[in-house]
Amino acid sequence: EVQLVESGGGLVQAGGSLTLSCAASGLSFDDYSLVWFRQAPGKERERVSCISSGDGGTYYADLVKDRFTISRDNAKNSVSLQMHSLKAEDTAVYYCAAQFLRCAYDWGESGMDYWGKGTLVTVSS
């Protein structure tokens, strides 16, 4: 059974930092691209960042570019999202997802093969 388990969410003040982690099991981790999505209250889920299998290429949504950094540790089957300069509008449930395709092809919701259950990030202003 494939499992993606997010951790690291919590309450942080605006301007602060937080690092999310996602531990994966039950899949050939190296073969999958890992993606972070988020869903704010009352809004649709949106993509945040993707890190590819193979070349490890990284991609970011414009809203988080230069503030968030995605990384993966294939030895530990984990992916992290470092978030800096957090804003109130970053408040959301953050989800980890995995897809077999590389990010360069696509990293939208419909392409994800597996999802985690999410972790809540609340940024107070």
Side-chain angles (χ1 to χ4, degrees), residues 68-87:
F68 290 11
T69 302
I70 191 171
S71 61
R72 64 188 293 163
D73 186 336
N74 289 343
K76 295 182 179 179
N77 286 8
S78 67
V79 58
S80 295
L81 185 70
Q82 294 180 49
M83 307 185 292
H84 301 289
S85 302
L86 284 162
K87 306 174 182 179

Side-chain angles (χ1 to χ4, degrees), residues 6-95:
E6 302 93 339
S7 62
L11 175 65
V12 62
Q13 288 189 331
S17 300
L18 206 60
T19 297
L20 304 182
S21 297
C22 174
S25 61
L27 76 170
S28 183
F29 187 79
D30 294 14
D31 293 335
Y32 283 80
S33 297
L34 284 302
V35 188
W36 287 97
F37 290 85
R38 69 186 183 186
Q39 187 167 21
K43 295 188 177 181
E44 294 187 352
R45 188 155 51 187
E46 61 180 359
R47 61 186 195 178
V48 174
S49 184
C50 184
I51 186 164
S52 247
S53 58
D55 64 4
T58 57
Y59 299 77
Y60 298 91
D62 288 343
L63 286 175
V64 306
K65 201 174 293 184
D66 299 326
R67 297 190 298 124
F68 290 11
T69 302
I70 191 171
S71 61
R72 64 188 293 163
D73 186 336
N74 289 343
K76 295 182 179 179
N77 286 8
S78 67
V79 58
S80 295
L81 185 70
Q82 294 180 49
M83 307 185 292
H84 301 289
S85 302
L86 284 162
K87 306 174 182 179
E89 49 264 44
D90 294 318
T91 294
V93 176
Y94 283 72
Y95 297 90

Side-chain angles (χ1 to χ4, degrees), residues 88-112:
E89 49 264 44
D90 294 318
T91 294
V93 176
Y94 283 72
Y95 297 90
C96 173
Q99 67 169 22
F100 196 69
L101 288 176
R102 295 197 178 188
C103 306
Y105 293 101
D106 190 19
W107 49 291
E109 275 193 72
S110 61
M112 297 302 115

